[in-house]
């Protein structure tokens, strides 16, 4: 065990670099996915058939094809056509396109879940389309979509492991190197499980706070201060 621990200590700088690459892919892919989800999710609801149909085609294509194949296609096939992408950009692009398509359905569903009366009230107040979306529909849909977006973000983090197939030295790659150094599969991948869990849990906590803030703005649920409170709120305790 000491030899494994010594190897782990020596591998810490490389593992740190792998974590940085994984976080770069996660953050970059999540930002791109969020932008695409908003664009495709809202476009899938418009009355224009051409725009709505184009959005549906993109959503179904990237949801219906394998993320691994998409990564391989961007990294190995595009160079054959004269387009060579940087590995990190390639990973971010593939993750963003794939999870953006899934997120688009979350956005569309959340917007559709806002009660029709809210839309009618905004029309009665003479709000334009942009005002209706920004001030009435989206704030309510945002609180509804955050739990599903949190799940997608955690899935995206775990999907970054596929980046090791396109020469990126991410966390999964460095864990594989640790296994080769120690010859201990259980120990090495156990370390990997713990690191991925910590990263996923940190992202989940951040997204939960974001969800709490969104609900608080709508007058629903508890405030962030109450969520972070260590001691129980005696003013709300039952008599």
């Amino acid at each position: 065990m000491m030899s494994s621990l010594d190897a782990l200590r020596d591998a810490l700088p490389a593992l740190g670099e792998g974590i940085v690459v994984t976080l770069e892919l996660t953050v970059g892919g999540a930002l791109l996915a969020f932008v695409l989800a908003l664009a495709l999710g809202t476009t899938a609801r418009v009355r224009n058939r051409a725009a709505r149909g184009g959005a549906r085609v993109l959503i179904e294509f990237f949801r219906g094809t394998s993320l691994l194949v998409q990564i391989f296609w961007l990294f190995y096939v595009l160079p054959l056509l004269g387009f060579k992408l940087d590995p990190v950009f390639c990973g971010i692009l593939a993750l963003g396109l794939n999870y953006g398509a899934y997120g688009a359905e979350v956005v569309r569903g959340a917007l559709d879940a806002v009660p029709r009366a809210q839309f009618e009230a905004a029309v009665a107040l003479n709000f334009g389309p942009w005002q209706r979306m920004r001030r009435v529909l989206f704030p309510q849909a945002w609180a509804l979509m955050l739990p599903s977006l949190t799940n997608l973000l955690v899935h995206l983090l775990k999907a970054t492991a596929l980046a090791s197939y396109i020469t990126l030295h991410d966390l999964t790659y460095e864990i594989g190197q640790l296994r080769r150094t120690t010859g201990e599969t259980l120990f090495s991948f156990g370390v990997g499980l713990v690191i991925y869990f910590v990263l996923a849990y940190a992202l989940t906590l951040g997204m939960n706070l974001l969800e709490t803030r969104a609900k608080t703005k709508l007058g629903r649920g508890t405030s962030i201060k109450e969520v972070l409170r260590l001691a129980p709120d005696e003013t709300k305790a039952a008599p």
Side-chain angles (χ1 to χ4, degrees):
M1 177 61 69
M2 286 303 298
S3 61
S4 296
L5 293 177
D6 290 339
L8 175 60
R9 182 191 60 200
D10 294 338
L12 286 179
L15 287 173
E17 294 175 0
I19 291 174
V20 169
V21 173
T22 293
L23 291 178
E24 287 177 348
L25 293 169
T26 301
V27 174
L31 290 175
L32 177 59
F34 182 65
V35 172
L36 289 175
L38 290 179
L40 295 175
T42 53
T43 304
R45 301 176 68 252
V46 300
R47 294 183 178 180
N48 186 288
R49 291 187 177 182
R52 187 173 68 246
R56 293 304 320 171
V57 168
L58 289 175
I59 291 171
E60 297 305 328
F61 175 80
F62 286 107
R63 285 202 313 163
T65 53
S66 166
L67 174 58
L68 181 59
V69 174
Q70 292 170 17
I71 291 178
F72 277 15
W73 202 91
L74 291 173
F75 190 73
Y76 293 110
V77 178
L78 281 186
L80 301 177
L81 305 176
F83 301 96
K84 184 173 178 61
L85 301 180
D86 175 78
V88 173
F89 178 75
C90 179
I92 290 175
L93 182 60
L95 290 166
L97 290 172
N98 188 270
Y99 283 91
Y102 284 101
E105 285 296 275
V106 172
V107 171
R108 184 192 60 78
L111 289 171
D112 287 344
V114 176
R116 179 70 182 178
Q118 298 291 320
F119 175 82
E120 294 173 350
V123 172
L125 291 172
N126 201 29
F127 284 178
W130 171 246
Q131 285 180 306
R132 290 197 296 267
M133 179 62 70
R134 182 176 65 88
R135 302 182 63 178
V136 179
L137 300 179
F138 188 78
Q140 297 181 64
W142 176 239
L144 295 174
M145 68 178 72
L146 274 171
S148 297
L149 292 181
T150 299
N151 288 335
L152 287 180
L153 179 59
V154 173
H155 280 292
L156 190 152
L157 166 67
K158 294 183 288 186
T160 60
L162 297 177
S164 59
Y165 288 109
I166 56 173
T167 72
L168 284 176
H169 293 187
D170 68 324
L171 177 57
T172 297
Y173 174 86
E174 298 299 346
I175 290 297
Q177 292 299 105
L178 178 63
R179 183 186 67 82
R180 294 184 186 92
T181 300
T182 62
E184 295 286 343
T185 300
L186 178 62
F187 174 80
S188 301
F189 285 104
V191 170
L193 284 176
V194 171
I195 296 176
Y196 272 111
F197 171 76
V198 171
L199 294 176
Y201 193 66
L203 290 176
T204 301
L205 285 179
M207 292 295 289
N208 286 346
L209 291 177
L210 196 61
E211 179 185 351
T212 300
R213 183 172 181 270
K215 289 181 177 179
T216 300
K217 284 189 173 183
L218 297 175
R220 306 171 187 168
T222 57
S223 66
I224 294 179
K225 183 178 180 180
E226 291 171 331
V227 170
L228 298 177
R229 183 193 295 271
L230 295 178
D233 189 351
E234 296 181 356
T235 62
K236 295 184 178 181

